[in-house]
Amino acid sequence: MFFPVVDSKDARDGCENATPDMTSPPRYAIIAAMNFADRLAHASREKNSVVVLGIDPQLDAAGAPGIPPGYTLARFCCEIVEACARSAVAVKPQLAFYEARGLEGMRAFCEVVKLARKLGLITIADAKRGDMGNTSVAYAEAFLGDGDFNCDAVTVNPYQGSDTVMPFIAKVKSGDRGVFVLVRTSNPSSGEFQDLNAPNRPIWESVASRVNEWGSDFIGASGLSSVGAVVGATYPVQARRARELMPAATILVPGYGTQGGTAADAVASARADGSGFIVNASRSLLYAYQKKAGAKPIEAAAEYAESMRQELNNALAARRTGALSHTA
């Protein structure tokens, strides 16, 4: 995998009616192919950021924010990505919001991924796929192959068993791709099944242990594995336990912002050295403009992304300071 050196104006090719360059994001150097976890760790160090842009355009329905007036789906999503690229390391479009819009939605998904790559951002398809046999093989090819929907990584649901995950891990083995396995999710009712004992510990802990096993063959120079996990910010106690069970996993942390997770909650997934985690914001970022009278959608999202980056870095620094005080 190579990250092309591009100017912002070039990166906007394919995004209809894109606005003039407002962010002047830095140019990215070309780097040779490497382990997915190493690429993510490199991007995080370069930008001093763990921010992931959840590009999840809510549906145009009663009570939902939808697409702001004056924007098409593709233009809104692409301009958000471009404006926030300086502050983020990755984008994570949730497939449901694109699939629900049919062909227009999937075209917009492809444009978001294409633009993100041109801006040097890592792409994560939030698909939560997983099924039996050849079905998982097809899902893995769709999102980690070379087709229209291919991304650098994909989220995977392991709750049907190991055989549903193996086709995705095979893609990790054959290239520089990654997977994020659902372990302890951020939704309110996640504990209904994930916290059940099986037989002497919660099911999610058993899944975490398997993720640790699956990932042991894919640890890069960073000490992190390309087989990662999804652990919600809304359950920081479980997040700390998850880190104990998966010391080398790259953890994707949803739940920050609208779902109630704070920066202090989110950094609970970090390793002792502060590495090994990335934090997603979706609705709170895309619709930041709704929180401030007169704010413009794109500028508000960019301000939110940068504020999020700083807030997470401050929380990480505070955690390190607290750890040092306990050992002094």
Side-chain angles (χ1 to χ4, degrees):
M1 178 70 67
F2 291 86
F3 298 129
V5 178
V6 299
D7 292 318
S8 179
K9 60 182 176 61
D10 296 323
R12 293 195 305 278
D13 288 350
C15 291
E16 56 180 300
N17 301 319
T19 58
D21 179 17
M22 296 179 295
T23 58
S24 298
R27 293 165 64 86
Y28 297 91
I30 298 176
I31 59 175
M34 65 174 77
N35 168 287
F36 170 78
D38 288 349
R39 289 170 51 208
L40 194 53
H42 173 82
S44 185
R45 287 193 305 270
E46 287 291 297
K47 288 189 171 180
N48 191 27
S49 175
V50 294
V51 172
V52 177
L53 309 176
I55 308 300
D56 302 352
Q58 303 297 295
L59 299 181
D60 296 307
I67 305 303
Y71 288 89
T72 64
L73 172 65
R75 180 185 168 195
F76 177 56
C77 294
C78 285
E79 289 193 16
I80 291 285
V81 172
E82 183 179 20
C84 299
R86 181 186 296 278
S87 303
V89 296
V91 298
K92 184 181 70 65
Q94 164 54 256
L95 265 293
F97 294 106
Y98 299 90
E99 292 169 337
R101 291 177 164 93
L103 291 176
E104 178 196 7
M106 294 311 294
R107 289 190 187 102
F109 171 81
C110 292
E111 289 189 20
V112 166
V113 171
K114 178 182 176 182
L115 173 63
R117 283 209 176 100
K118 287 183 176 180
L119 289 169
L121 297 168
I122 288 171
T123 57
I124 303 168
D126 192 0
K128 298 183 176 69
R129 296 301 199 260
D131 210 324
M132 294 178 289
N134 287 338
T135 307
S136 267
V137 171
Y139 280 141
E141 181 61 28
F143 296 108
L144 299 180
D146 297 320
D148 292 336
F149 307 141
N150 80 90
C151 290
D152 297 307
V154 65
T155 56
V156 178
N157 190 335
Y159 283 91
Q160 280 182 265
S162 296
D163 60 329
T164 70
V165 179
M166 289 303 106
F168 298 93
I169 292 180
K171 289 291 187 181
V172 175
K173 185 182 300 184
S174 64
D176 57 354
R177 305 302 173 99
V179 299
F180 291 97
V181 182
L182 302 185
V183 172
R184 186 61 168 85
T185 57
S186 59
N187 57 301
S189 64
S190 59
E192 185 176 350
F193 300 124
Q194 295 171 27
D195 285 346
L196 292 177
N197 284 336
N200 55 4
R201 63 177 176 176
I203 289 174
W204 76 261
E205 289 196 8
S206 296
V207 174
S209 293
R210 289 309 303 273
V211 170
N212 189 57
E213 294 170 11
W214 293 331
S216 61
D217 292 332
F218 306 102
I219 297 174
S222 62
L224 293 164
S225 175
S226 294
V227 177
V230 177
V231 179
T234 47
Y235 299 100
V237 173
Q238 289 88 339
R240 285 187 280 273
R241 174 61 177 154
R243 176 51 73 193
E244 292 174 359
L245 294 168
M246 302 179 293
T250 302
I251 295 180
L252 169 59
V253 182
Y256 173 93
T258 299
Q259 292 186 54
T262 67
D265 296 332
V267 302
S269 290
R271 299 202 301 180
D273 64 357
S275 69
F277 79 116
I278 50 176
V279 182
N280 177 77
S282 300
R283 283 171 292 173
S284 56
L285 186 146
L286 260 67
Y287 299 101
Y289 71 96
Q290 296 187 338
K291 303 293 185 182
K292 187 187 301 183
K296 296 180 179 180
I298 309 306
E299 288 89 337
E303 290 174 6
Y304 185 95
E306 179 57 20
S307 175
M308 177 182 173
R309 185 188 71 82
Q310 294 176 5
E311 186 177 42
L312 288 166
N313 287 347
N314 290 341
L316 198 55
R319 197 186 89 150
R320 288 172 179 155
T321 301
L324 289 173
S325 66
H326 285 305
T327 58

